[in-house]
Amino acid sequence: MKRLIKSLVLAISMYSIIPMPMISCDEEDTKYTMIFFPIIGFVIGALIIGWTWLCDHFQILGISRTLIIGAIPLVVTGGFHMDGFMDTSDARSSYQPREKKLEILKDSHIGAFAVIRVIIYMLVFLAAIDMLFVVKKQSIILFSFGFMMSRILSGIAVVTFPSARKEGMLFFTAKAAQRNANLIVLCIEGILLSVVMCLVDWKRAIAVIAVALLSFLYYWLMSRRVFGGITGDLAGWFVTFTECAIAVGLAIMNGVGICV
């Protein structure tokens, strides 16, 4: 139990800016951090639902509600995953050999491609969020659940996908992880989340799950082909990419009147 509590504290402190107590830990205490990773998604989703309720209550309309929703994931995570998205964008756009791409991932500087892609990402993400209000209740709730889904799948990738480097936080997290235990718990979390989503709106839930799984498949194929495995930056790219893909999928359903 003590190690589980330490893993919980480590997961929240590593992947968010949520204040947590300082603790002493060793490699054994990182074995189960991945099973608590989706908690960050739960916090983000809860804040989005709470903000949406405030917008309804105080009649906050238009761009303000959309921009705040777009900002919540960045604020809660401190931009941790977006940093990985930007580094991965630079590496993939370099058209360099694999070894050079991996070096670019470690570079603390950002290039033009990272800036361009993050601007496009945010524009698409915010546009999709705005369209979620067409059928507000179900779409916003399922969109909020998507932040947990992306982290569940990311955790599964960490304990099952090969690492591209024999260094870095993701490599040591995966190395120390109790892989079978993490995988089983993450799969159970994914199944339970899927059931809850289906209870909200089964047609939209199936669409969200399908989009998330397609993103996961693309992540697996792209990471192996381009980088030879995953890194912490690629994991951040996947989380942000999946969240945007889920928003776009729901927005398309709302826009064409599917399941309304």
Side-chain angles (χ1 to χ4, degrees), residues 69-107:
I69 290 176
I72 286 173
L74 295 174
V75 173
V76 173
T77 63
F80 184 77
H81 304 299
M82 186 56 72
D83 176 72
F85 177 88
M86 295 178 74
D87 288 340
T88 302
S89 296
D90 269 337
R92 293 182 67 194
S93 302
S94 68
Y95 299 103
Q96 297 293 322
R98 178 179 294 173
E99 293 74 17
K100 182 63 177 177
K101 286 187 173 74
L102 291 172
E103 289 180 17
I104 293 172
L105 288 177
K106 295 191 293 182
D107 193 340

Side-chain angles (χ1 to χ4, degrees), residues 2-168:
K2 185 177 180 180
R3 293 204 184 278
L4 285 175
I5 293 173
K6 284 189 175 183
S7 292
L8 169 63
V9 172
L10 286 171
I12 295 175
S13 61
M14 283 193 300
Y15 301 114
S16 76
I17 63 167
I18 300 171
M20 297 300 292
M22 296 293 293
I23 59 172
S24 60
C25 60
D26 53 34
E27 187 174 291
E28 290 293 310
D29 297 322
T30 65
K31 281 186 174 182
Y32 305 104
T33 53
M34 282 297 101
I35 67 176
F36 297 109
F37 186 29
I39 290 177
I40 312 301
F42 175 81
V43 172
I44 293 171
L47 289 173
I48 289 173
I49 292 173
W51 169 248
T52 303
W53 179 85
L54 286 174
C55 289
D56 287 343
H57 188 73
F58 294 103
Q59 296 186 340
I60 301 172
L61 304 174
I63 194 170
S64 297
R65 65 183 181 182
T66 300
L67 291 177
I68 295 297
I69 290 176
I72 286 173
L74 295 174
V75 173
V76 173
T77 63
F80 184 77
H81 304 299
M82 186 56 72
D83 176 72
F85 177 88
M86 295 178 74
D87 288 340
T88 302
S89 296
D90 269 337
R92 293 182 67 194
S93 302
S94 68
Y95 299 103
Q96 297 293 322
R98 178 179 294 173
E99 293 74 17
K100 182 63 177 177
K101 286 187 173 74
L102 291 172
E103 289 180 17
I104 293 172
L105 288 177
K106 295 191 293 182
D107 193 340
S108 59
H109 300 87
I110 63 171
F113 288 107
V115 175
I116 292 169
R117 291 199 180 190
V118 79
I119 290 173
I120 294 172
Y121 174 94
M122 290 307 301
L123 290 174
V124 172
F125 190 49
L126 293 172
I129 291 171
D130 194 59
M131 290 186 67
L132 299 184
F133 289 95
V134 175
V135 184
K136 183 163 39 181
K137 184 178 179 181
Q138 297 95 326
S139 294
I140 290 295
I141 292 174
L142 292 175
F143 167 67
S144 300
F145 284 149
F147 291 92
M148 293 180 66
M149 181 65 73
S150 67
R151 284 160 175 80
I152 289 171
L153 292 175
S154 181
I156 291 173
V158 168
V159 298
T160 57
F161 289 11
S163 295
R165 292 196 299 254
K166 305 302 180 183
E167 58 181 357

Side-chain angles (χ1 to χ4, degrees), residues 190-208:
I191 292 170
L192 291 176
L193 179 62
S194 298
V195 170
V196 173
M197 290 168 64
C198 287
L199 292 176
V200 174
D201 184 325
W202 70 269
K203 291 182 180 180
R204 285 185 172 79
I206 290 174
V208 168

